Coordinates of all heavy atoms in Angstrom, one line a residue:
G146 N 97.3 29.0 44.5 CA 98.6 29.6 44.7 C 99.3 29.8 43.4 O 100.1 30.8 43.3
I147 N 99.2 28.9 42.5 CA 99.8 29.0 41.2 C 99.2 30.3 40.4 O 100.1 31.1 39.9 CB 99.5 27.8 40.3 CG1 100.3 26.6 40.9 CG2 100.0 28.1 38.8 CD1 100.0 25.3 40.2
E148 N 97.9 30.4 40.5 CA 97.3 31.6 39.9 C 97.8 32.9 40.5 O 98.0 33.9 39.9 CB 95.8 31.6 40.0 CG 95.1 30.4 39.4 CD 95.4 30.4 37.9 OE1 95.5 31.5 37.3 OE2 95.4 29.3 37.3
E149 N 97.9 33.0 41.9 CA 98.4 34.1 42.6 C 99.9 34.4 42.2 O 100.2 35.6 42.0 CB 98.3 33.9 44.1 CG 98.8 35.1 44.9 CD 98.0 36.3 44.8 OE1 96.9 36.3 44.2 OE2 98.5 37.3 45.3
A150 N 100.7 33.4 42.0 CA 102.1 33.6 41.7 C 102.2 34.2 40.3 O 103.1 35.0 40.0 CB 102.9 32.3 41.7
L151 N 101.3 33.8 39.4 CA 101.3 34.3 38.0 C 100.8 35.7 38.0 O 101.2 36.6 37.3 CB 100.5 33.4 37.1 CG 101.1 32.0 36.8 CD1 100.1 31.2 36.1 CD2 102.4 32.1 36.1
R152 N 99.7 36.0 38.8 CA 99.0 37.3 38.8 C 100.1 38.4 39.4 O 100.1 39.5 38.8 CB 97.8 37.2 39.6 CG 97.0 38.5 39.7 CD 95.9 38.5 40.7 NE 96.4 38.5 42.1 CZ 96.8 39.6 42.7 NH1 96.9 40.7 42.1 NH2 97.3 39.5 43.9
T153 N 100.8 38.0 40.3 CA 101.7 38.9 41.0 C 103.0 39.0 40.3 O 103.9 39.7 40.7 CB 101.9 38.6 42.4 OG1 102.5 37.2 42.5 CG2 100.6 38.6 43.2
R154 N 103.2 38.2 39.2 CA 104.5 38.1 38.5 C 105.6 37.5 39.3 O 106.8 37.8 39.0 CB 104.8 39.5 37.8 CG 103.9 40.0 36.9 CD 104.6 41.0 35.9 NE 105.5 40.4 35.0 CZ 106.6 41.0 34.5 NH1 106.7 42.4 34.7 NH2 107.4 40.4 33.7
T155 N 105.3 36.8 40.4 CA 106.4 36.1 41.1 C 106.8 35.0 40.0 O 108.0 34.7 40.0 CB 105.7 35.4 42.3 OG1 105.2 36.4 43.1 CG2 106.9 34.6 43.0
L156 N 105.9 34.5 39.3 CA 106.3 33.6 38.2 C 105.8 34.1 36.9 O 104.7 34.8 36.7 CB 105.6 32.2 38.4 CG 106.2 31.2 39.5 CD1 105.3 30.0 39.5 CD2 107.6 31.0 39.3
D157 N 106.5 33.7 35.8 CA 106.0 34.0 34.5 C 105.3 32.9 33.8 O 104.4 33.1 33.1 CB 107.2 34.4 33.5 CG 107.9 35.7 33.9 OD1 107.2 36.5 34.6 OD2 109.0 36.0 33.6
A158 N 105.8 31.7 34.2 CA 105.2 30.5 33.6 C 105.4 29.3 34.4 O 106.5 29.1 35.0 CB 105.7 30.3 32.1
L159 N 104.5 28.3 34.3 CA 104.6 26.9 34.8 C 104.4 26.1 33.6 O 103.4 26.2 32.8 CB 103.7 26.6 35.9 CG 103.5 25.1 36.3 CD1 104.8 24.6 36.9 CD2 102.4 25.0 37.2
A160 N 105.2 25.1 33.3 CA 105.1 24.1 32.2 C 105.2 22.7 32.6 O 106.2 22.4 33.4 CB 105.9 24.5 31.0
V161 N 104.4 21.8 32.2 CA 104.6 20.4 32.4 C 104.5 19.6 31.1 O 103.9 20.1 30.2 CB 103.6 19.8 33.5 CG1 103.7 20.6 34.8 CG2 102.2 19.8 32.9
T162 N 105.2 18.5 31.0 CA 105.2 17.8 29.8 C 104.6 16.4 29.9 O 104.6 15.9 31.0 CB 106.7 17.6 29.3 OG1 107.4 16.7 30.2 CG2 107.4 18.9 29.2
A163 N 104.0 15.9 28.8 CA 103.4 14.6 28.7 C 103.4 14.1 27.4 O 103.6 14.9 26.4 CB 101.9 14.7 29.2
S164 N 103.4 12.8 27.2 CA 103.5 12.2 25.9 C 102.2 11.5 25.6 O 101.7 10.7 26.4 CB 104.7 11.2 26.0 OG 104.9 10.6 24.7
S165 N 101.7 11.7 24.4 CA 100.4 11.2 24.0 C 100.5 9.8 23.3 O 101.3 9.6 22.4 CB 99.8 12.1 22.9 OG 98.6 11.5 22.3
Y166 N 100.0 8.8 24.0 CA 99.9 7.5 23.4 C 99.0 7.5 22.2 O 99.3 6.6 21.4 CB 99.3 6.5 24.5 CG 100.2 6.2 25.7 CD1 99.8 6.5 27.0 CD2 101.4 5.5 25.5 CE1 100.5 6.1 28.0 CE2 102.2 5.3 26.6 CZ 101.8 5.5 27.9 OH 102.5 5.3 28.9
T167 N 98.1 8.4 22.1 CA 97.2 8.4 21.0 C 97.9 8.9 19.7 O 97.7 8.3 18.6 CB 96.0 9.3 21.3 OG1 95.4 8.9 22.5 CG2 94.9 9.3 20.1
S168 N 98.6 10.0 19.8 CA 99.1 10.6 18.5 C 100.7 10.4 18.4 O 101.2 10.6 17.3 CB 98.8 12.1 18.5 OG 99.4 12.7 19.6
G169 N 101.3 10.0 19.6 CA 102.8 10.0 19.6 C 103.5 11.3 19.8 O 104.7 11.4 19.8
V170 N 102.7 12.4 19.9 CA 103.3 13.7 20.0 C 103.7 14.0 21.5 O 102.9 13.6 22.4 CB 102.3 14.8 19.6 CG1 102.8 16.2 19.8 CG2 102.0 14.6 18.1
H171 N 104.8 14.7 21.7 CA 105.2 15.1 23.0 C 104.7 16.5 23.3 O 105.1 17.4 22.5 CB 106.8 15.1 23.1 CG 107.3 15.3 24.5 ND1 107.5 16.5 25.0 CD2 107.5 14.4 25.5 CE1 108.0 16.4 26.2 NE2 108.0 15.1 26.6
W172 N 103.9 16.7 24.3 CA 103.2 17.9 24.5 C 103.8 18.6 25.7 O 104.2 18.0 26.7 CB 101.8 17.7 24.8 CG 100.9 17.5 23.5 CD1 100.7 16.3 22.9 CD2 100.2 18.5 22.8 NE1 99.9 16.5 21.8 CE2 99.6 17.7 21.7 CE3 99.9 19.9 22.9 CZ2 98.8 18.4 20.8 CZ3 99.1 20.5 22.0 CH2 98.5 19.8 21.0
T173 N 103.9 20.0 25.7 CA 104.2 20.8 26.8 C 103.1 21.7 27.0 O 102.6 22.5 26.2 CB 105.4 21.7 26.5 OG1 106.6 20.8 26.2 CG2 105.8 22.5 27.7
F174 N 102.5 21.5 28.2 CA 101.3 22.3 28.6 C 101.9 23.5 29.5 O 102.5 23.3 30.6 CB 100.3 21.5 29.4 CG 99.8 20.4 28.6 CD1 100.3 19.0 28.7 CD2 98.8 20.6 27.7 CE1 99.8 18.1 27.9 CE2 98.2 19.6 26.9 CZ 98.7 18.3 27.0
C175 N 101.6 24.7 29.0 CA 102.1 25.9 29.6 C 101.0 26.7 30.2 O 100.0 26.9 29.6 CB 103.0 26.8 28.7 SG 104.2 25.8 27.7
H176 N 101.3 27.4 31.4 CA 100.3 28.2 32.0 C 101.0 29.5 32.4 O 102.0 29.5 33.0 CB 99.8 27.5 33.3 CG 98.6 28.2 34.0 ND1 97.8 29.1 33.3 CD2 98.1 28.2 35.2 CE1 96.9 29.7 34.0 NE2 97.1 29.1 35.3
T177 N 100.5 30.6 31.9 CA 100.9 31.9 32.1 C 99.7 32.8 32.6 O 98.6 32.3 32.7 CB 101.6 32.6 30.9 OG1 100.5 32.8 29.9 CG2 102.6 31.7 30.3
A178 N 100.1 34.0 32.9 CA 99.0 34.9 33.3 C 98.1 35.4 32.2 O 97.0 35.8 32.3 CB 99.5 36.2 33.9
H179 N 98.6 35.1 30.9 CA 97.8 35.5 29.7 C 97.9 34.3 28.7 O 98.4 34.5 27.6 CB 98.4 36.7 29.1 CG 98.5 37.9 30.1 ND1 97.3 38.6 30.5 CD2 99.5 38.4 30.7 CE1 97.8 39.5 31.4 NE2 99.0 39.5 31.5
D180 N 97.3 33.3 29.1 CA 97.4 32.0 28.2 C 96.7 32.3 26.9 O 97.2 31.8 25.8 CB 96.6 30.9 28.8 CG 97.5 30.2 30.0 OD1 98.6 30.5 30.0 OD2 96.8 29.5 30.9
E181 N 95.7 33.1 26.8 CA 95.0 33.3 25.5 C 95.8 34.0 24.5 O 95.5 33.9 23.3 CB 93.7 34.1 25.8 CG 93.8 35.5 26.3 CD 94.2 35.6 27.9 OE1 94.2 34.6 28.5 OE2 94.5 36.7 28.3
T182 N 96.8 34.8 24.9 CA 97.6 35.5 23.9 C 99.0 34.9 23.7 O 99.7 35.4 22.8 CB 97.8 37.0 24.3 OG1 98.5 37.0 25.6 CG2 96.4 37.7 24.5
A183 N 99.4 33.9 24.5 CA 100.7 33.4 24.3 C 100.8 32.5 23.1 O 99.9 31.7 22.8 CB 101.0 32.5 25.6
P184 N 101.8 32.6 22.3 CA 101.9 31.8 21.0 C 102.5 30.5 21.3 O 103.6 30.3 21.8 CB 102.9 32.7 20.2 CG 103.8 33.4 21.2 CD 102.9 33.7 22.4
P185 N 101.8 29.4 21.0 CA 102.3 28.1 21.2 C 103.4 27.7 20.1 O 103.5 28.5 19.1 CB 101.1 27.2 21.0 CG 100.2 27.9 20.1 CD 100.4 29.4 20.4
W186 N 104.2 26.7 20.3 CA 105.1 26.3 19.3 C 104.7 24.8 18.8 O 104.2 24.1 19.5 CB 106.5 26.4 19.8 CG 106.9 25.5 21.0 CD1 107.3 24.2 21.0 CD2 106.8 25.9 22.4 NE1 107.5 23.7 22.2 CE2 107.2 24.8 23.1 CE3 106.4 27.1 23.0 CZ2 107.3 24.8 24.5 CZ3 106.4 27.1 24.4 CH2 106.9 25.9 25.1
N187 N 105.1 24.6 17.6 CA 104.9 23.3 16.9 C 106.1 22.9 16.2 O 106.6 23.5 15.3 CB 103.7 23.5 16.0 CG 103.3 22.2 15.5 OD1 104.0 21.1 15.6 ND2 102.0 22.1 14.9
R188 N 106.8 21.9 16.7 CA 108.0 21.3 16.1 C 107.7 19.8 15.8 O 106.8 19.2 16.3 CB 109.2 21.3 17.1 CG 109.5 22.7 17.6 CD 110.2 23.5 16.5 NE 110.4 24.9 16.9 CZ 109.6 25.9 16.7 NH1 108.4 25.7 16.2 NH2 110.0 27.1 17.2
P189 N 108.5 19.2 14.9 CA 108.2 17.8 14.6 C 108.2 16.9 15.9 O 109.2 16.9 16.5 CB 109.4 17.4 13.7 CG 109.8 18.8 13.0 CD 109.5 19.8 14.1
G190 N 107.1 16.3 16.1 CA 107.0 15.4 17.3 C 106.8 16.0 18.6 O 106.6 15.3 19.6

Side-chain angles (χ1 to χ4, degrees):
I147 294 174
E148 299 297 334
E149 179 66 10
L151 294 171
R152 186 189 67 79
T153 59
R154 296 202 69 201
T155 303
L156 288 181
D157 291 341
L159 167 67
V161 303
T162 67
S164 184
S165 173
Y166 289 120
T167 307
S168 65
V170 174
H171 188 271
W172 283 83
T173 299
F174 298 100
C175 309
H176 188 22
T177 69
H179 305 287
D180 287 341
E181 64 282 355
T182 60
W186 62 88
N187 190 342
R188 301 288 179 269

